[in-house]
């Protein structure tokens, strides 16, 4: 059977935030799993980088691994720090902005 979770060693203890590195002036992403039901992705944002407002067909949950990120959902803005999470509901506009370098883990669950 093919590995469902990829780009990570199985049966090894790891620190999630160490699995993706910052790059100057960029957003770096590393997909861990993706199919019709689920998407798991790590991100490292350099200061000032952003993912502009968009919508998803699935509910999306961000967990900040380190640093501080600004999350917009509809007209509301939230500042999240390492260890904090937020759910962005499906079909509701949302955006992510790096006020400082930060890393996050994104889980998206799609309807079936």
């Amino acid at each position: 059977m093919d590995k469902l979770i990829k780009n990570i060693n199985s049966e090894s203890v790891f620190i999630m935030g160490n699995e993706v590195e910052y790059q100057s002036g960029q957003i770096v992403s590393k997909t861990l799993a993706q199919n019709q039901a689920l998407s798991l992705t790590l991100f490292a944002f350099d200061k000032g980088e952003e993912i502009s407002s968009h919508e998803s067909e699935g509910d999306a949950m961000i967990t900040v691994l380190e640093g501080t990120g600004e999350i917009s959902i509809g007209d509301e803005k939230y500042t999240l720090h390492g260890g904090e999470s937020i759910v962005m509901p499906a079909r509701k506009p949302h955006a992510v902005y790096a006020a400082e370098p930060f890393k996050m883990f994104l889980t998206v669950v799609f309807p079936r």
Side-chain angles (χ1 to χ4, degrees), residues 33-46:
Q34 189 158 4
N35 59 38
Q36 292 177 339
L38 179 73
S39 176
L40 304 175
T41 310
L42 289 168
F43 288 90
F45 288 72
D46 194 19

Side-chain angles (χ1 to χ4, degrees), residues 51-56 60 72 74 88-89 91-96 106:
I51 297 175
S52 60
S53 184
H54 64 284
E55 295 180 20
S56 171
S72 298
M88 302 173 295
R91 294 173 297 283
K92 189 163 189 177
H94 56 270
V96 179
L106 176 67

Side-chain angles (χ1 to χ4, degrees), residues 8 13-23 28 30 32 41-45 63-67 82-83 101-106:
I8 289 263
V13 176
F14 63 95
I15 297 171
M16 187 83 74
N18 290 350
E19 294 297 319
V20 64
E21 296 299 323
Y22 296 111
Q23 289 188 22
V28 177
K30 183 177 188 178
L32 304 183
T41 310
L42 289 168
F43 288 90
F45 288 72
T63 298
V64 175
L65 303 172
E66 65 182 48
F102 88 104
K103 294 180 182 181
M104 71 179 207
F105 181 53
L106 176 67

Side-chain angles (χ1 to χ4, degrees), residues 57-109:
E57 289 301 310
D59 287 338
M61 182 174 70
I62 288 175
T63 298
V64 175
L65 303 172
E66 65 182 48
T68 301
E70 294 178 3
I71 313 302
S72 298
I73 304 172
D75 294 330
E76 297 293 322
K77 290 193 180 199
Y78 304 88
T79 300
L80 276 71
H81 306 278
E84 296 180 327
S85 300
I86 194 165
V87 173
M88 302 173 295
R91 294 173 297 283
K92 189 163 189 177
H94 56 270
V96 179
Y97 174 74
E100 63 180 52
F102 88 104
K103 294 180 182 181
M104 71 179 207
F105 181 53
L106 176 67
T107 303
V108 184
V109 180

